[in-house]
């Protein structure tokens, strides 16, 4: 039920203790109309990571009244993460890498700041270095776990991930997925191309110009953490893996990307080819939502939302402890019912 | 080498996974001349918790240039904690319950604020409730560990602990120890007595008036955490235990106070009698510093400093993993040498 595309995660994670870390942030890229559906409107995307974090940790949102939804009313994948993790015992921590709206719950702050519109500038160089350094220190102090599971919430994160990949010489826009079934590739391509145009020659400076605080936070965390890591996310995690390969090549051997079936099967993206290219393992949770009681969850099977807030990795960790796919769907259904009173 | 005064910790902690949480804060009580030696001057006590946290996590201080010292130049017990925990694998987290100077490392913030001078007011009621609520939520999200070890750093913390105990009807000033071999009991008694005089009739409000943010943070953390807890501290932890008995009596059965030999043997304090009175377990690390290579550490045997930053609990956790007392002293000695270039 954990399907290994490359490598063998299933046996590695079985029964292992783990800490789930959610890294949140925002950039002004998500304000570009049409680029993301991770919020009911471009302005509301600024609240999505804080609300995701609050919901994951406490079961309700504080920064906004209801859970984050797409403009079509489909709820955040934080539902899947919370419901899946509620079936196993785990530590959960929230890390703020740089958000316009900070989560109103205890969280670890990396001393970053929100990213800009990468067509002008993404992460200021000194801020990027601070995020990397603080995240590394945090990773060094999480030594007791057998596995570190790292999720993300950052609207328009696939666009900054694509730009990061392109800055490293990969065809990033081709690789990345989208939270919409209609992946706005032309728009992403234009934004990424404008971001890279006239960028700094220095390769590290160029990364900072086009990336986002969450990617840097996760890279830093993994650089300091001494053990095995599940990067719980979709195509955004390919940018993390590619940066690790560039800056911390020794860490690559301990990395698995763990995601959902919807990301792996996305016809608009190319995650499977890409992980082969850079040499990192990939697994996904084989859970089918078509039997959900709720239309708002069944639409995941039609390519809506797909991933985020470590949804795929959370399902993987539940499956690895012997929870069945139908128990996961039931748990998500129940949480959805509780929220919507349906 | 872990000596159980009451209860049996040794077997319970053996080989158990644990997270070490350091809760930091300040109050204006530490500005009262003569009340504490947790800083080279009353003003510098405001930097001590931040510097302790920074040193524990990274091995150097950021908020000040050197590690916190007493007016006599004796270094912070954070040395003992870092050296002991470096001998075992553990997660370490810093929680800020309310500090004038915030640690310059990633830490969890409980949304509190520094405590006042309890002769006027300690913790504002709404702030106290926020600290309790956020800490509870944090505790609920640390489910994977078999043991939670909680240390503290708050200058003049024994005075606010004494006031908290007195507000609960105990003879608190008699119970508490001091970071100085000359425990300034008369001064503490005057401050506590003035703090309690004309206090609110409502018992919860009275606690907020005379307590500190760290005590509330630890009480909240334990209220949410579902497993066994080692309160890694001296007589301040008796106030935590007494508040737990008052507000969350069900949690008392999972609590052990874990401290140093210097606290248990302190002729000016009465921790052993008190834990019997309220019904909580007590253990200490039987480690002798008289064989240390450094005078600044040998003086611990003469009652200087005694405890803090979870020093006793850190030694207990190292001992529980089979580290010998002399290995602990060597490790602390080496860290001291590195710091002072002696």
């Amino acid at each position: 039920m954990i399907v290994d595309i490359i490598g063998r995660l299933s046996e590695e994670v079985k029964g292992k203790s783990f800490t789930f870390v959610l890294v949140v942030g925002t950039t002004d890229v998500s304000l570009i109309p049409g680029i993301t559906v991770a919020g009911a409107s471009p302005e509301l995307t600024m609240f999505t990571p804080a609300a995701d974090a609050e919901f994951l940790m406490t079961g309700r949102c504080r920064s906004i009244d209801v859970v984050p939804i797409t403009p079509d009313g489909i709820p955040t994948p934080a539902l899947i993460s919370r419901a899946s993790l509620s079936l196993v015992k785990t530590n959960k921590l929230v890390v703020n890498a740089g958000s316009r709206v900070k989560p109103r719950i205890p969280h670890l702050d990396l001393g970053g700041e929100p990213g800009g519109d990468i067509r002008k500038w993404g992460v200021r160089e000194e801020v990027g270095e601070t995020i990397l350094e603080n995240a590394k220190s945090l990773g060094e102090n999480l030594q007791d776990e057998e596995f570190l599971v790292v999720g993300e919430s950052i609207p328009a994160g696939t666009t900054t991930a694509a730009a990061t990949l392109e800055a490293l010489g990969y065809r990033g826009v081709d690789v990345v997925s989208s939270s919409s079934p209609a992946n706005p590739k032309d728009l992403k391509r234009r934004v990424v191309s404008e971001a890279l145009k006239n960028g700094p020659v220095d390769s590290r400076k160029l990364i900072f110009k086009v990336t986002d605080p969450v990617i840097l936070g996760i890279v830093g965390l993994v650089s300091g953490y001494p053990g095995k890591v599940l990067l719980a996310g979709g195509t955004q995690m390919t940018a993390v893996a590619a940066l690790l390969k560039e800056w911390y090549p020794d860490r690559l051997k301990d990395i698995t990307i763990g995601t959902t079936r919807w990301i792996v099967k996305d016809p608009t993206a190319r995650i499977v080819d890409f992980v082969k290219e850079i040499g990192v393992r990939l697994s996904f949770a084989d859970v089918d939502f078509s039997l959900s009681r709720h239309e708002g969850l069944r639409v995941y099977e039609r390519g809506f939302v797909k991933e985020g807030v470590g949804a795929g990795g959370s399902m993987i960790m539940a499956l690895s402890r012997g929870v069945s796919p139908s128990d996961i769907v039931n748990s998500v259904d129940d949480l959805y019912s509780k929220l919507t009173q349906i």
Side-chain angles (χ1 to χ4, degrees), chain A:
Chain A
M1 300 174 227
I2 302 173
V3 179
D4 298 319
I5 303 275
I6 297 158
R8 276 203 168 273
L9 179 71
S10 329
E11 282 155 33
E12 277 186 31
V13 290
K14 206 169 177 183
K16 291 283 166 67
S17 70
F18 68 102
T19 288
F20 180 96
V21 180
L22 176 68
V23 183
V24 300
T26 59
T27 68
D28 287 353
V29 176
S30 71
L31 296 175
I32 300 172
I35 209 150
T36 180
V37 295
S41 72
E43 289 67 35
L44 283 173
T45 60
M46 291 299 161
F47 292 87
T48 297
D52 277 345
E54 291 155 6
F55 182 76
L56 179 73
M57 300 296 273
T58 70
R60 57 199 180 86
C61 300
R62 298 179 180 191
S63 296
I64 51 179
D65 288 340
V66 292
V67 297
I69 53 168
T70 69
D72 301 323
I74 302 161
T76 169
L79 255 86
I80 300 176
S81 308
R82 183 170 170 86
S84 302
L85 293 176
S86 75
L87 300 169
V88 295
K89 273 175 71 176
T90 180
N91 296 342
K92 296 199 292 280
L93 294 171
V94 170
V95 172
N96 177 32
S99 303
R100 284 249 208 141
V101 178
K102 292 194 177 190
R104 294 193 192 171
I105 44 162
H107 61 269
L108 294 142
D109 203 293
L110 298 182
E113 61 182 32
D117 180 334
I118 58 171
R119 292 173 299 185
K120 292 168 213 147
W121 199 274
V123 180
R124 288 192 300 126
E125 196 179 343
E126 64 268 37
V127 173
E129 298 290 1
T130 299
I131 293 172
L132 285 167
E133 185 194 351
N134 279 329
K136 185 178 179 210
S137 159
L138 180 60
E140 287 168 349
N141 282 297
L142 296 174
Q143 296 191 7
D144 190 46
E145 301 303 314
E146 295 170 290
F147 245 91
L148 190 68
V149 181
V150 192
E152 56 67 39
S153 175
I154 177 165
T158 56
T159 301
T160 39
T164 307
L165 288 169
E166 300 263 350
L168 290 166
Y170 303 101
R171 294 179 57 185
V173 180
D174 292 347
V175 171
V176 298
S177 205
S178 165
S179 50
S180 165
N183 196 341
K185 285 266 167 136
D186 288 343
L187 177 56
K188 285 182 186 176
R189 205 176 303 277
R190 280 202 305 279
V191 170
V192 169
S193 146
E194 200 174 325
L196 288 166
K197 207 170 53 187
N198 307 321
V201 177
D202 177 85
S203 66
R204 195 171 176 97
K205 284 191 208 304
L206 181 62
I207 296 294
F208 290 139
K209 187 195 178 292
V210 305
T211 198
D212 67 54
V214 167
I215 289 174
L216 295 175
I218 300 176
V219 166
L221 206 53
V222 176
S223 76
Y225 179 73
K228 290 192 182 293
V229 178
L230 186 68
L231 294 176
T235 49
Q236 284 160 258
M237 292 304 180
T238 63
V240 172
L243 263 184
L244 285 168
K245 184 169 187 169
E246 191 77 9
W247 291 347
Y248 305 97
D250 292 350
R251 296 298 295 120
L252 214 63
K253 67 178 193 315
D254 284 334
I255 305 304
T256 301
I257 295 178
T259 190
T260 64
R261 208 178 76 253
W262 312 303
I263 289 289
V264 171
K265 312 268 176 193
D266 181 2
T268 76
R270 293 182 49 242
I271 192 169
V272 177
D273 294 343
F274 186 77
V275 294
K276 283 181 191 159
E277 188 179 339
I278 65 162
V280 70
R281 294 183 292 277
L282 174 68
S283 295
F284 68 88
D286 196 7
V287 180
D288 187 336
F289 274 43
S290 60
L291 296 175
S292 162
R293 301 194 300 270
H294 302 289
E295 175 63 13
L297 294 170
R298 288 195 295 270
V299 294
Y300 272 74
E301 291 298 328
R302 302 212 310 271
F304 289 84
V305 186
K306 294 188 190 76
E307 173 62 289
V309 200
S314 300
M315 291 192 284
I316 285 174
M317 295 317 287
L319 294 168
S320 77
R321 302 278 175 104
V323 176
S324 72
S326 62
D327 283 345
I328 290 178
V329 177
N330 276 336
S331 176
V332 181
D333 268 351
D334 289 348
L335 192 54
Y336 190 98
S337 297
K338 225 169 94 181
L339 276 180
T340 55
Q341 316 287 341
I342 296 173

